[in-house]
Amino acid sequence: MHPQPPYDQAVVARHGWVQALITVLVTLIAMGVVAALGLWAAGAAGLPDNAFPRVVAASVVTAVGGTVELAGGAGGLAGSRAGLTVIPLSVTLTGALVLGAGFLRPLRHRAVAGGRELAGWAARIAVLWLLALLAVAYAARQTFKVSLGDDTLNDLGDVFGVSPEVGFTTDVPRTLLFGLLWMAGVLVLALLVSPRAPLPGRLLRLQESVRPPAHAMVVLLLAHVVLGTLVALVVAVTRGHAPETLAVILLGMPNLVWLTLTVGLGATWNGRVDGPFGLPMPHLLDEVLRSSDTATLNLGTLAEHDGRIWWLVVVEAVLLLSVAFLTAARSPARVHAWQHAVHLAVALALTVLMICLMGRISAHYGLSVLGIGDLGGGLGGKLFLTPQLWSAVGLGALWGLVAGFLGALLAQPVRRKGEIEPRQA
């Protein structure tokens, strides 16, 4: 008779290399499916030279923080230049949710997990993740011809040897580095956010101060995505443009709704849309960004075009107060109202910082023929959107402070952990 292994050892054995491989593959497949459906809805399936699979791979690379470099050429009588910086956050969010769930699944039904055990489980995922990401990065390479417009311009291009081409390739070292950092961030957040995930004994104190506000921020972000998706589906049914709407949902819905979150808090973004580029957002935002060379995007400028935008402040206040109440109700009774306020202020400030860093957009394409047309404009276009970072973070902290305090006051009548019921006389 062999002695039965302890329960914890049996659990450890269930998250080895096979489980790590399944977690990595399912994550990449989920991201690839979302990216492929979104690009298909956007019309990318018709790209020449069978470029569609490679564009999907490039979307997955950028979704985890990797770098895709663009380059172009246009023959001996012309020059071209292109650049693109944008993260398809729908693909990013899908990958984060699947990877986090796969990481936590073998650890369920546990109250405490050793630091060495968690590090070993994460290391297995990291090794396989890097190998898989390396394969995806090498697949994300393509060059294809860009149309000059109508048939006449294309014919002239053939005569003069002007054949604009845009190619993209992956910066493999940067992709592996940022892809690894993205994976590590997802795993750490999964441990911090999940109320039932086991922690090492030394970190159990985080369950009171970190987990409730971290969980509240995830609920807030996902609530915006769900509401934005519902609104987009209603618009698609009532006004048409179903393929474009599906593309926005599957590629950039978080880009849009999380930008809206910061604007509703009072943040300001600067941007410009020029030429054929467009943003995956309502016509109102696109109109503001085309109004000047460097447009200001905030509640005031949007209200000049549509006064109903002020309702956005009310929506954000209700959502923030709701998650603040949820945070206080899930926290131990010994946590004071001012502590709830500070915890939520820090959490919301960090959330706004994340949105500002990941929500930046920059794209340009220029073509110069016989010296006519500037490579930065002319026969091309440009698009950029950047936040006024620290003012946005400060506003997030202020909103979190107020909402956290009010939410704690509202949650006082709710019986919470650590409270003792009064004895009946």
Side-chain angles (χ1 to χ4, degrees):
M1 293 289 292
H2 295 284
Q4 293 293 327
Y7 175 73
D8 281 355
Q9 291 183 10
V11 175
V12 171
R14 288 204 297 270
H15 50 77
W17 288 102
V18 173
Q19 288 74 18
L21 179 61
I22 293 173
T23 298
V24 170
L25 290 179
V26 172
T27 299
L28 286 177
I29 289 172
M31 297 176 73
V33 169
V34 172
L37 291 174
L39 291 168
W40 170 78
L47 289 172
D49 302 325
N50 296 317
F52 183 69
R54 295 175 177 83
V55 174
V56 172
S59 298
V60 173
V61 167
T62 56
V64 298
T67 301
V68 174
E69 299 175 340
L70 300 183
L77 299 179
S80 66
R81 186 180 67 184
L84 176 66
T85 302
V86 62
I87 299 177
L89 289 180
S90 291
V91 182
T92 303
L93 180 61
T94 299
L97 293 175
V98 175
L99 180 61
F103 175 69
L104 294 177
R105 189 174 186 279
L107 304 174
R108 66 192 187 281
H109 310 312
R110 303 278 300 280
V112 179
R116 181 177 297 179
E117 175 191 349
L118 292 176
W121 174 221
R124 293 184 182 94
I125 294 177
V127 170
L128 297 174
W129 174 256
L130 286 177
L131 292 175
L133 194 58
L134 182 65
V136 175
Y138 275 109
R141 298 172 179 228
Q142 180 70 30
T143 300
F144 47 86
K145 185 177 179 180
V146 178
S147 175
L148 289 173
D150 58 25
D151 293 336
T152 303
L153 285 177
N154 278 320
D155 292 341
L156 289 174
D158 293 337
V159 171
F160 287 103
V162 178
S163 300
E165 292 182 343
V166 172
F168 60 87
T169 186
T170 306
D171 186 333
V172 176
R174 286 174 61 89
T175 296
L176 294 180
L177 173 61
F178 287 105
L180 181 62
L181 292 175
W182 178 85
M183 183 221 71
V186 169
L187 300 189
V188 170
L189 284 175
L191 283 174
L192 293 178
V193 167
S194 175
R196 298 187 179 129
L199 289 173
R202 296 178 181 178
L203 300 179
L204 288 177
R205 62 183 182 275
L206 297 180
Q207 293 188 124
E208 294 184 2
S209 60
V210 175
R211 272 188 168 169
H215 183 267
M217 291 301 100
V218 172
V219 171
L220 179 67
L221 294 176
L222 293 179
H224 278 81
V225 173
V226 171
L227 288 176
T229 300
L230 291 176
V231 171
L233 292 175
V234 171
V235 171
V237 171
T238 57
R239 300 183 183 179
H241 306 290
E244 293 85 350
T245 302
L246 183 61
V248 170
I249 293 173
L250 293 173
L251 294 176
M253 181 55 70
N255 299 70
L256 172 59
V257 295
W258 295 348
L259 165 69
T260 305
L261 186 159
T262 63
V263 171
L265 299 181
T268 296
W269 293 65
N270 298 318
R272 171 66 176 159
V273 177
D274 182 34
F277 289 116
L279 287 173
M281 58 176 56
H283 175 71
L284 171 62
L285 302 186
D286 188 74
E287 183 179 359
V288 172
L289 291 173
R290 291 183 185 273
S291 61
S292 61
D293 289 339
T294 301
T296 299
L297 184 67
N298 56 30
L299 286 169
T301 57
L302 291 171
E304 291 176 1
H305 293 77
D306 190 341
R308 292 173 298 178
I309 199 67
W310 291 110
W311 282 102
L312 185 59
V313 179
V314 178
V315 172
E316 298 302 338
V318 171
L319 289 175
L320 271 177
L321 197 58
S322 299
V323 297
F325 172 83
L326 180 66
T327 302
R330 295 171 65 93
S331 299
R334 61 179 172 272
V335 180
H336 301 291
W338 68 268
Q339 292 175 305
H340 284 298
V342 172
H343 294 165
L344 201 67
V346 173
L348 187 56
L350 291 176
T351 300
V352 171
L353 177 62
M354 180 274 294
I355 294 172
C356 290
L357 293 178
M358 299 185 69
R360 299 168 183 259
I361 298 175
S362 175
H364 67 268
Y365 176 73
L367 175 65
S368 175
V369 181
L370 297 173
I372 302 173
D374 183 2
L375 282 177
L379 301 176
K382 61 182 178 181
L383 177 159
F384 71 91
L385 185 64
T386 57
Q388 294 184 8
L389 182 61
W390 298 116
S391 63
V393 173
L395 286 166
L398 180 61
W399 274 81
L401 199 67
V402 175
F405 188 80
L406 294 177
L409 295 181
L410 292 174
Q412 284 183 350
V414 179
R415 183 168 178 265
R416 293 178 282 166
K417 293 184 294 183
E419 288 184 335
I420 300 176
E421 291 184 356
R423 293 183 178 180
Q424 298 292 333

